[in-house]
Amino acid sequence: MLRSVEITAALTLGGSSFHNLHWKSDVELSLDCFICQRTGRTTGLTHGAEHGTCSGDSKTGRHPAAARISAFDSTSERELTILRAVVEYWWAPFHDAKRDRPSLALTGDPWVRLHLGYLCPEPVQSGTFSTQTNLVRPQTHTCEHCAAPIAHSHDAPRLQLLT
């Protein structure tokens, strides 16, 4: 069955708008993988790629996942940057024998990590950081080069099963 999940995230800009903050096209999402028949696998996705990569387990290792980013849109306003992405993936029911639980269309403990990049103007060097659903909030992200606050995360990224 083809499923879709919408990912929405918003960060408040930290007064250092000169850092050219931008969402990167890489997303890590927990999905139940019918290929390795394990629940809660970390699936790496890149916008434009034909498929994702499942983290697998000790038997299967990393392997292609039937998932892709079908929509990726970021919007920046004066004090806010917003990401909306849609991930489509194939899902089939199975039983995870190792964890003794059934698979779900959106895994039992949904989790996402989103990556951001920036350019510090002082040493003219780039940097990256990420935000994810399971972090304690509020959280402030600072530049690794000049320690200026770049963004504030008040709310966790939201995951919504569409189909």
Side-chain angles (χ1 to χ4, degrees):
M1 294 173 261
L2 182 63
R3 299 290 189 198
S4 298
V5 64
E6 180 182 59
I7 302 165
T8 308
L11 296 176
T12 304
L13 299 179
S16 296
S17 59
F18 58 87
H19 273 80
N20 190 25
L21 182 65
H22 59 279
W23 296 95
K24 298 184 72 130
S25 62
D26 299 329
V27 173
E28 293 170 85
L29 176 64
S30 62
L31 294 174
D32 292 353
C33 179
F34 67 88
I35 296 170
C36 60
Q37 297 203 347
R38 295 295 314 280
T39 57
R41 300 292 84 197
T42 300
T43 304
L45 304 154
T46 300
H47 185 236
E50 293 179 6
H51 60 81
T53 303
C54 174
S55 59
D57 64 7
S58 59
K59 287 183 180 178
T60 63
R62 297 178 63 84
H63 59 84
R68 69 183 185 99
I69 298 173
S70 60
F72 190 91
D73 181 50
S74 62
T75 305
S76 292
E77 298 175 4
R78 184 176 178 160
E79 295 178 11
L80 194 65
T81 183
I82 302 166
L83 172 72
R84 180 182 169 271
V86 176
V87 173
E88 293 179 332
Y89 57 97
W90 287 98
W91 176 82
F94 64 89
H95 185 80
D96 184 336
K98 189 169 185 176
R99 293 184 176 165
D100 192 28
R101 63 181 180 194
S103 65
L104 301 170
L106 184 57
T107 194
D109 240 351
W111 171 88
V112 67
R113 178 182 295 134
L114 305 167
H115 301 272
L116 295 99
Y118 61 89
L119 179 65
C120 181
E122 289 185 26
V124 190
Q125 291 186 5
S126 61
T128 61
F129 66 91
S130 64
T131 186
Q132 58 196 52
T133 51
N134 57 353
L135 294 177
V136 175
R137 301 239 174 350
Q139 185 175 50
T140 298
H141 304 280
T142 58
C143 175
E144 64 187 80
H145 306 293
C146 70
I150 300 172
H152 305 286
S153 176
H154 299 285
D155 298 311
R158 186 173 56 97
L159 296 166
Q160 180 178 357
L161 188 63
L162 301 176
T163 57

